[in-house]
Amino acid sequence: MATPDPDAIWRLLNEARFEEASEAKVAALERAVEAADAIGDPELLNYALSGLVDAYEFSRDSTRILVPFARLLRNFDARPEHFDAYLIRSLYWTFKWIVDKMIEQPDVPLESIEHWLQEMRRRYAEAGHSMHAPAAYEMQLAYHVGDYDRVAAAIEALGEAEEDDMSDCTACQYTALATVVFYAEENAADAAMEMLEPVLSGEHACAHEPHYALALSLLPLVELGRLDQARANHLRGYQMCRGKEDMVHITTLHVEFCALTGNEHRALEILGEHARFFDLDLGVRDRQRLLEVTVLTCRRLAALGLADTAMPGPDGREWTAAELLDRAEAERAAICARFDARNGNDHHSTMSECVIDSTPYPQPIHLGLKEMRTKEPALEVAPDLTADPEAAGLALDEAIDAAYAAYDDCSPDTWKAWLKVAALAEALDIELIPEHRAEIAHAESARADDPAEVLAGLLRAVELFRLAEQPGRALVAEAFALIHTADDDPAAARAGAARITADALALQSESRIDDRSLHTSQVLAMRAEYVASLTSEAPAADLADRAAALEAELAALPERRYAHIRRCDLLDLRARLETDPEAKTALLRAGLDASRTAGAGWAVARSSADLAEQLGLAGDHQAALEHTREGIDALGDEPAHTIAAKLHLQAAEFGMRAGDHAAVHEHALTASVHCDAAGLTIPGAVARHLMGVALIGQERREEAVPLLEAALDDLPDEQIWRICNVRFNLAECLDKLGEPRPGVEHGLAALALMETADEEHLVSLYWDTLFLTGELLEKIEELDHALELYTRAVEVAEELADLTSWTRSSRARAWLLRRLLGDAAFGEGLQTMAQIAARLHAVRADPNASETVREAARFELGETYRQHAQLTFQFLESQAGEPGLRRDEAEPVLDLQRRALAVFREAPLLLERASLTAHQTMWLLSELGDPTGAIEVGEEALNWLASPDLAEAREGFEQHLADLRQA
């Protein structure tokens, strides 16, 4: 067998330092240790062991760290001369990890942990390190065994000891303290959040922060009632830890949060995404946490009546929630027993049981992601009525009277009142008369979601109303049923509508129908006739006239509330039949007035939504937004999900046009909740799309990504523009979040879709996507493909006559050619920059160009000069050869920079670009050996930055000048 190559091992160790944590990295370093052993080089072996220790610490089972560390320590004690400063520091630093890993390994006796903690203190003292780090890990041990007096003492010692370079990073210190405080003290949510704030704000960070801080903050935020921030931290934080094997504990905190905030479906989804974790060789503590949240989630599903829900789990197969509950609970209890035996108390199992026995928070948190549809809760009835027959009969009579009163008042909750009658009658085992059973059947159809159940309930109501000799009510139920079948059988619907109208008039002549049933059955019959026309030929020519005549008849009954409500229906129908936009709007306004007169909130909401839609189509978005607000205000506390979803979705779309991103997010979130409750899949996807865009507008891209991904899952193929827009936004988010490769996938998918679609309104989005995807391809070194996209972007911008887009893509293409062809591309690049500047000059000089266009051209001209200067400098420097560029030779570069600065300084001042250009000029002059010229540029900048509101920019130049003068 060939002797390993030491240089190859050194290269592997150096490269591994910059790789992300993974089992592949672990395996490579394990091989490196074996190879270093075979070579017999002590220093190389120590470096390999140190690298393996580091890899184990950030792996899925960090307890593996114990073996290589023990060997490393023996090597240090035996032959310290083979440890340089880097290895010595790493060795002392790793003591903290060792104590931590021993705590989480139940087979390690407490005595051994105490021994290593004491060894850590001794060695730190001998090496001159502070006792700050030992105190931190004594706190962790005391917290683990439930010795809270010792926890308090350790925290006090922690405060007294000075931090040094062996202390955990500041971010980890904050989160460690927050963890202990939140879980060890009562009502400590405020204190925990105070400790987490410096990490959450970005003041402190590390490899696992703010990932852990975001997850740890979730339950304290809920307890403090800061639900919006909890939602944001979950959406942001889960994206950061998703799928990472070294962040199992962080992931489980997100599952726990979801299981306790009404998001059991999301908890199940996260567990499903990480089902492979069950079969990994995880550390004991991570495994216990995974099992705890699995048990909690399964219990919550069982409490919702969903114990048969399929769940991915151990052994690579699906389990039911009930099965997985038993399996996970048995293993969790066994692990806890091992810790209790080791620790000599039941503190560990008690803490674990607190997790699995947690009760959900009373107020659910809507995440904006898809929610489970749940059944309406059963109506409560007094449990002890059966013991008192007289009270029982009285309660039932009162419920029946209340149901009739609700009907007389045209209440939208009439169906609920009749369902309460049904629940009472069933509890008391009382047989109701046919009329009451008919009303209950009608009410059950109103509650049903399944179309077949709706129709069955209505037909049962028809039969029972006839049995009760209520032919008018039977006709109304029959007309409702006709609407539900009109699109399936248009011919039968038209015939049925004519028959219902004729029957109603016949009953009127016989005085066997009341006015409300007479008018309602006719209105519903017309609605069925209209629905039938949507799937066949145009509606009957006289339908609009008949609707107008009936509406006039109802207008003559101003004292009847039902008449106003039915007028709303007829005015809406007439508006749908109207082809003239102004006449249509007038009819919808009249319908809204009628609903206001009726004092029916649900009717006001429906009419407001219809009018807002019409006004939006006419381009009056502000008026449309105002009507959606009126409709939302009229909805009440328990709105119908469908109309609530429509109004909030409208408010989000109209608010987007006004640029109010916070309001858009709020309305779209509410719309998504109602869409999910009503089973409206596509509108729900639209709501999530709007939420994502609104969050991007607030620079909250990490939160936007999961919402946009969820929208993409539910959008149908025909929604081409929206799918492409979602993919574009995902690509842009992933680019900003430092994940260009998945961003490229979204960009290319959007381009492929747009190139097959013949839709003019996609052209602008097409250019945006071409340019963004080109940038992403450039970032992942797919340069040839990026050049293709930039070239196409230039062509599309020309077709659009969009000067800004043409300028940006032309410049990007010139720079990419420089990367691809090297010095050979200078000629074309410099020529391109000059051509761009000439076109921009022409636009700025064009008196017919708008101020907006000229101002855009001003920015692009300045930026073109600035980039032209950079490219010219590279060219001249390449020509200068080894001696380097002289000051006089750089005059073309300086001239271009002066031009750029002059353009940026024209009113209004383009501060960021002007400052950048001036600083770059100072740096260049300094590099060319002209510090005096650099100082002059800086002093001139201070003159044009004299305004008090530009103080921050002045400070930057003052510091730059100070550096130049000192040099």
Side-chain angles (χ1 to χ4, degrees):
M1 183 175 180
T3 302
D5 178 8
D7 290 339
I9 299 173
W10 282 114
R11 282 196 301 273
L12 185 153
L13 294 175
N14 188 53
E15 291 168 1
R17 292 171 58 194
F18 303 101
E19 290 180 7
E20 287 191 6
S22 69
E23 287 306 298
K25 177 177 178 177
V26 166
L29 286 163
E30 287 173 340
R31 291 193 298 272
V33 170
E34 292 177 7
D37 250 338
I39 292 172
D41 181 336
E43 184 180 10
L44 178 57
L45 175 61
N46 291 335
Y47 263 95
L49 286 168
S50 180
L52 183 58
V53 163
D54 184 76
Y56 279 154
E57 164 61 14
F58 296 101
S59 71
R60 63 194 182 202
D61 180 11
S62 54
T63 58
R64 294 177 288 181
I65 195 176
L66 300 173
V67 173
F69 178 76
R71 186 177 178 189
L72 200 58
L73 193 61
R74 287 195 302 271
N75 291 350
F76 179 67
D77 289 339
R79 303 180 69 181
E81 67 272 15
H82 294 302
F83 284 75
D84 60 16
Y86 172 83
L87 283 176
I88 292 172
R89 186 186 186 285
S90 296
L91 186 71
Y92 280 99
W93 183 271
T94 308
F95 260 105
K96 302 182 298 181
W97 295 349
I98 293 303
V99 173
D100 188 52
K101 302 318 161 194
M102 288 179 130
I103 292 172
E104 76 170 65
Q105 179 51 261
D107 297 331
V108 176
L110 279 181
E111 295 79 5
S112 295
I113 304 174
E114 294 285 9
H115 165 76
W116 277 96
L117 189 56
Q118 182 57 38
E119 184 73 2
M120 180 182 177
R121 292 191 196 96
R122 180 182 70 79
R123 288 182 181 259
Y124 271 42
E126 290 175 354
H129 295 306
S130 165
M131 288 297 104
H132 189 270
Y137 286 85
E138 181 166 2
M139 177 188 71
Q140 294 292 355
L141 176 59
Y143 169 67
H144 171 75
V145 299
D147 186 346
Y148 291 145
D149 289 338
R150 188 178 178 186
V151 167
I155 292 176
E156 186 175 349
L158 197 61
E160 293 173 352
E162 284 190 25
E163 291 185 39
D164 65 0
D165 63 353
M166 285 295 113
S167 300
D168 282 345
C169 77
T170 306
C172 288
Q173 290 184 51
Y174 278 123
T175 52
L177 275 171
T179 301
V180 172
V181 167
F182 180 65
Y183 288 105
E185 297 181 12
E186 293 289 331
N187 303 315
D190 251 330
M193 287 308 303
E194 187 176 343
M195 294 173 187
L196 291 175
E197 189 53 40
V199 185
L200 296 174
S201 67
E203 184 179 344
H204 303 289
C206 71
H208 279 77
E209 298 298 350
H211 313 58
Y212 179 55
L214 287 163
L216 181 61
S217 73
L218 298 174
L219 296 186
L221 286 169
V222 177
E223 293 187 6
L224 294 171
R226 294 159 60 180
L227 307 188
D228 288 344
Q229 189 177 348
R231 176 195 307 113
N233 285 7
H234 167 65
L235 292 175
R236 177 187 170 202
Y238 178 62
Q239 285 298 110
M240 299 171 75
C241 68
R242 184 179 183 179
K244 295 182 178 177
E245 295 178 358
D246 61 326
M247 296 190 181
V248 175
H249 180 74
I250 298 173
T251 302
T252 63
L253 287 170
H254 286 280
V255 177
E256 182 179 13
F257 162 75
C258 291
L260 296 177
T261 55
N263 292 288
E264 293 85 358
H265 180 68
R266 172 71 166 169
L268 174 60
E269 183 181 87
I270 295 174
L271 286 172
E273 285 186 349
H274 297 84
R276 62 188 178 85
F277 282 8
F278 287 105
D279 296 321
L280 295 181
D281 187 19
L282 298 175
V284 181
R285 186 160 54 186
D286 278 349
R287 185 157 196 84
Q288 179 187 320
R289 279 295 300 162
L290 179 62
L291 294 166
E292 284 171 351
V293 297
T294 300
V295 170
L296 175 64
T297 302
C298 291
R299 284 186 172 183
R300 289 298 310 134
L301 291 171
L304 295 172
L306 301 170
D308 292 333
T309 300
M311 295 182 65
D315 306 326
R317 72 174 182 87
E318 281 200 342
W319 304 63
T320 65
E323 291 171 338
L324 190 52
L325 171 60
D326 292 341
R327 162 77 179 259
E329 172 56 16
E331 189 177 351
R332 182 205 66 83
I335 290 174
C336 288
R338 291 169 63 196
F339 275 112
D340 286 350
R342 191 272 298 275
N343 297 343
N345 60 36
D346 65 353
H347 173 73
H348 194 81
S349 57
T350 299
M351 292 288 284
S352 181
E353 284 161 9
C354 285
V355 175
I356 64 172
D357 292 337
S358 298
T359 54
Y361 291 98
Q363 186 174 355
I365 297 179
H366 298 294
L367 302 176
L369 299 169
K370 200 161 187 177
E371 299 183 358
M372 288 188 296
R373 293 188 71 186
T374 55
K375 294 181 179 179
E376 292 282 343
L379 292 168
E380 295 182 4
V381 295
D384 56 347
L385 288 178
T386 53
D388 185 347
E390 185 175 345
L394 181 61
L396 182 59
D397 288 343
E398 289 176 350
I400 292 171
D401 288 344
Y404 277 121
Y407 173 80
D408 291 341
D409 195 41
C410 301
S411 169
D413 292 333
T414 300
W415 64 276
K416 292 183 182 179
W418 280 112
L419 290 179
K420 184 175 181 180
V421 171
L424 272 169
E426 183 178 1
L428 300 171
D429 196 23
I430 292 176
E431 177 75 18
L432 295 170
I433 63 174
E435 181 178 333
H436 296 161
R437 299 205 310 276
E439 296 286 4
I440 290 167
H442 202 163
E444 287 173 342
S445 76
R447 178 173 63 174
D449 290 324
D450 181 60
E453 290 182 20
V454 172
L455 186 58
L458 289 169
L459 295 178
R460 189 165 62 253
V462 171
E463 182 182 346
L464 287 167
F465 275 127
R466 286 174 178 163
L467 183 63
E469 298 183 350
Q470 292 282 340
R473 294 287 288 124
L475 271 185
V476 170
E478 192 176 353
F480 271 119
L482 197 63
I483 292 173
H484 283 279
T485 60
D487 53 355
D488 291 329
D489 191 348
R494 283 191 294 274
R499 180 182 53 75
I500 287 172
T501 300
D503 287 352
L505 294 173
L507 289 170
Q508 181 190 34
S509 67
E510 299 169 7
S511 300
R512 295 176 57 208
I513 189 171
D514 62 88
D515 288 346
R516 180 172 173 179
S517 295
L518 170 70
H519 294 130
T520 300
S521 59
Q522 290 180 84
V523 170
L524 296 176
M526 289 181 186
R527 173 68 67 172
E529 190 177 344
Y530 171 74
V531 172
S533 73
L534 298 177
T535 54
S536 60
E537 66 270 12
D542 65 341
L543 179 57
D545 293 337
R546 285 185 278 128
L550 185 55
E551 192 253 315
E553 186 177 329
L554 288 168
L557 302 171
E559 74 286 355
R560 308 277 187 93
R561 191 181 187 205
Y562 86 84
H564 294 292
I565 294 171
R566 292 304 162 216
R567 279 192 66 217
C568 293
D569 294 337
L570 287 168
L571 287 162
D572 175 71
L573 176 59
R574 291 177 61 196
R576 291 173 186 273
L577 294 168
E578 182 59 64
T579 57
D580 179 66
E582 291 186 7
K584 183 189 289 282
T585 301
L587 288 166
L588 291 171
R589 289 190 189 282
L592 179 57
D593 289 340
S595 66
R596 289 168 178 158
T597 302
W602 58 272
V604 171
R606 187 186 64 184
S607 297
S608 295
D610 291 340
L611 180 55
E613 183 176 0
Q614 178 62 21
L615 291 171
L617 291 172
D620 192 350
H621 301 118
Q622 184 55 43
L625 180 58
E626 290 170 4
H627 281 295
T628 62
R629 289 170 178 162
E630 179 184 2
I632 289 168
D633 290 342
L635 283 173
D637 295 333
E638 295 185 43
H641 291 302
T642 301
I643 186 60
K646 181 176 181 179
L647 279 164
H648 281 286
L649 200 52
Q650 287 177 320
E653 289 176 327
F654 297 136
M656 183 67 74
R657 294 177 181 275
D660 188 350
H661 297 299
V664 170
H665 178 263
E666 181 182 349
H667 284 299
L669 172 61
T670 306
S672 75
V673 173
H674 288 296
C675 286
D676 292 342
L680 303 172
T681 302
I682 297 174
V686 172
R688 281 178 259 280
H689 175 206
L690 291 171
M691 265 189 285
V693 174
L695 287 168
I696 292 170
Q698 299 174 72
E699 301 293 328
R700 295 160 63 184
R701 289 177 175 82
E702 286 155 323
E703 298 168 55
V705 168
L707 294 165
L708 293 169
E709 289 176 341
L712 196 59
D713 288 341
D714 285 334
L715 286 171
D717 292 343
E718 58 270 19
Q719 292 254 356
I720 295 175
W721 174 85
R722 199 172 294 277
I723 290 172
C724 292
N725 188 266
V726 168
R727 286 198 180 277
F728 171 82
N729 280 298
L730 277 169
E732 191 267 351
C733 285
L734 292 166
D735 178 27
K736 297 289 187 183
L737 298 175
E739 299 181 52
R741 195 166 295 278
V744 164
E745 294 173 8
H746 284 294
L748 292 176
L751 290 172
L753 192 55
M754 283 188 272
E755 283 162 3
T756 60
D758 185 20
E759 299 187 26
E760 287 187 10
H761 66 286
L762 285 171
V763 176
S764 179
L765 180 61
Y766 183 45
W767 182 88
D768 289 335
T769 311
L770 280 168
F771 188 75
L772 173 62
T773 311
E775 289 182 313
L776 291 167
L777 285 165
E778 199 172 349
K779 288 178 180 179
I780 65 171
E781 298 299 317
E782 294 282 348
L783 303 186
D784 289 332
H785 198 172
L787 182 62
E788 292 176 20
L789 266 59
Y790 283 149
T791 302
R792 180 65 182 129
V794 172
E795 295 168 354
V796 171
E798 284 277 25
E799 293 167 11
L800 289 170
D802 184 335
L803 183 61
T804 298
S805 297
W806 177 83
T807 298
R808 291 178 61 200
S809 43
S810 296
R811 287 197 307 249
R813 185 178 181 279
W815 281 110
L816 182 53
L817 281 171
R818 169 79 177 92
R819 289 187 66 188
L820 278 168
L821 304 178
D823 293 351
F826 274 133
E828 183 176 343
L830 294 171
Q831 186 178 16
T832 297
M833 293 293 182
Q835 289 172 345
I836 295 170
R839 286 186 67 170
L840 292 167
H841 262 304
V843 170
R844 295 196 70 205
D846 183 358
N848 297 319
S850 69
E851 182 59 33
T852 301
V853 170
R854 285 201 299 271
E855 184 59 22
R858 176 167 82 96
F859 174 87
E860 295 302 339
L861 178 61
E863 185 62 13
T864 301
Y865 280 143
R866 192 185 69 80
Q867 293 191 29
H868 194 174
Q870 291 178 306
L871 194 60
T872 302
F873 175 75
Q874 290 184 12
F875 170 69
L876 293 174
E877 194 173 40
S878 70
Q879 299 297 305
E882 188 63 34
L885 192 63
R886 296 197 311 271
R887 169 67 177 80
D888 58 329
E889 294 173 332
E891 191 55 40
V893 179
L894 295 168
D895 178 62
L896 286 165
Q897 287 183 320
R898 283 191 288 267
R899 291 188 195 186
L901 186 56
V903 172
F904 290 139
R905 283 185 53 193
E906 291 178 15
L909 173 68
L910 298 174
L911 176 63
E912 188 268 336
R913 306 316 281 174
S915 297
L916 173 62
T917 305
H919 278 298
Q920 287 178 335
T921 304
M922 292 168 72
W923 287 321
L924 175 58
L925 287 167
S926 179
E927 286 296 313
L928 292 170
D930 185 7
T932 303
I935 290 171
E936 288 175 359
V937 173
E939 289 175 340
E940 183 185 359
L942 292 179
N943 292 331
W944 50 263
L945 291 172
S947 173
D949 60 330
L950 303 176
E952 186 176 347
R954 283 181 59 85
E955 288 176 9
F957 279 99
E958 287 167 351
Q959 182 60 55
H960 198 163
L961 284 167
D963 293 342
L964 286 170
R965 288 169 178 143
Q966 184 176 5

